[in-house]
Amino acid sequence: MKRFLVMVVVALGLTGCFKKVGFDTTLVIYPKVQEVSGAEFLVAEGVTAYAYYVSGEDWKVLTYEDAVAKVITNTKSGETKSEPAVESEPYASAPEGGNDGEVGSEGDGEVAASAVTANSQNTDALGRLTLKTKKQHVMLVAVYPTAEMWAYRHYEVGENLPVTTLKFHFRPWKSAEYVDSGWTCNKKPVVETPEEGEGGAEGESGENK
């Protein structure tokens, strides 16, 4: 009998040791913008975000138009996807049991502010967004229409983290692709066109010669 009781106690103890592993988390996307080199980082207003459950660095967002259309491309196979698994919502407050800005956060080292109450438009004064994901491997994409910029990154979610805060910076003054806190950031290329009237002026001067 005593041996049986000992075995039961041991079994219960082992059960307690094996905690259920899950990857459900609320990803808090916290972008800021630096308009010119050396300037202060400000709230990046109007940013939207979405996520795909894919892994592998071959998945990319090739153009601003693709980013807006929510299209990702596997540059190795040519496969495309256009229906995100999750789309962002304006940040309102940390989920129950969460510890916003401290659990699993990474970025520029700044600790996120405590949860704020959403205003009547259900937007966050700090420009934060949330994505509720359920897989370990996710690809995140953020679009910043004001500067016609986009950013994406592959992220491996940690085990049993209720909240994960990811920060990065949009820098419209950069003309080339750059990486910021794991995010690959790009800006829509500016297409230069000839100044209006140049051709006409040359034609007229040619006729008068």
Side-chain angles (χ1 to χ4, degrees):
M1 184 67 178
K2 288 183 179 180
R3 184 177 180 183
F4 174 75
L5 291 175
V6 170
M7 291 177 65
V8 170
V9 171
V10 171
L12 290 174
L14 290 175
T15 301
C17 292
F18 293 103
K19 186 178 180 180
K20 183 179 178 181
V21 174
F23 297 100
D24 291 21
T25 190
T26 296
L27 296 173
V28 179
I29 311 300
Y30 191 4
K32 288 190 175 184
V33 59
Q34 184 187 51
E35 296 292 351
V36 296
S37 179
E40 179 183 359
F41 290 103
L42 305 174
V43 172
E45 297 181 355
V47 175
T48 58
Y50 50 90
Y52 282 91
Y53 296 142
V54 297
S55 61
E57 297 298 324
D58 292 325
W59 287 101
K60 303 178 186 295
V61 181
L62 301 181
T63 67
Y64 176 73
E65 288 74 18
D66 280 356
V68 172
K70 302 169 185 174
V71 175
I72 63 172
T73 301
N74 187 305
T75 55
K76 186 175 182 179
S77 67
E79 180 186 358
T80 62
K81 293 181 181 291
S82 58
E83 296 182 3
V86 186
E87 297 194 35
S88 64
E89 300 175 356
Y91 178 92
S93 62
E96 184 177 352
N99 189 7
D100 180 41
E102 295 179 4
V103 178
S105 65
E106 57 177 59
D108 59 3
E110 179 187 358
V111 177
S114 59
V116 296
T117 303
N119 62 24
S120 58
Q121 283 75 42
N122 194 29
T123 58
D124 177 28
L126 298 179
R128 294 172 293 183
L129 303 165
T130 57
L131 289 160
K132 296 180 180 179
T133 61
K134 298 179 179 296
K135 303 287 186 180
Q136 182 178 15
H137 298 283
V138 296
M139 178 181 179
L140 306 170
V141 184
V143 184
Y144 183 31
T146 301
E148 294 189 315
M149 295 188 70
W150 76 100
Y152 64 91
R153 70 167 295 171
H154 293 273
Y155 187 72
E156 185 174 336
V157 177
E159 298 177 0
N160 301 325
L161 291 177
V163 183
T164 306
T165 302
L166 302 172
K167 308 172 186 178
F168 69 99
H169 302 127
F170 284 111
R171 293 180 167 89
W173 53 272
K174 282 184 172 287
S175 58
E177 178 180 281
Y178 65 94
V179 177
D180 186 298
S181 298
W183 293 79
T184 299
C185 305
N186 280 282
K187 183 177 181 179
K188 181 179 179 180
V190 177
V191 179
E192 296 185 3
T193 57
E195 292 185 13
E196 190 176 342
E198 281 187 356
E202 290 180 358
E204 291 176 3
S205 60
E207 289 177 2
N208 294 330
K209 288 182 178 179

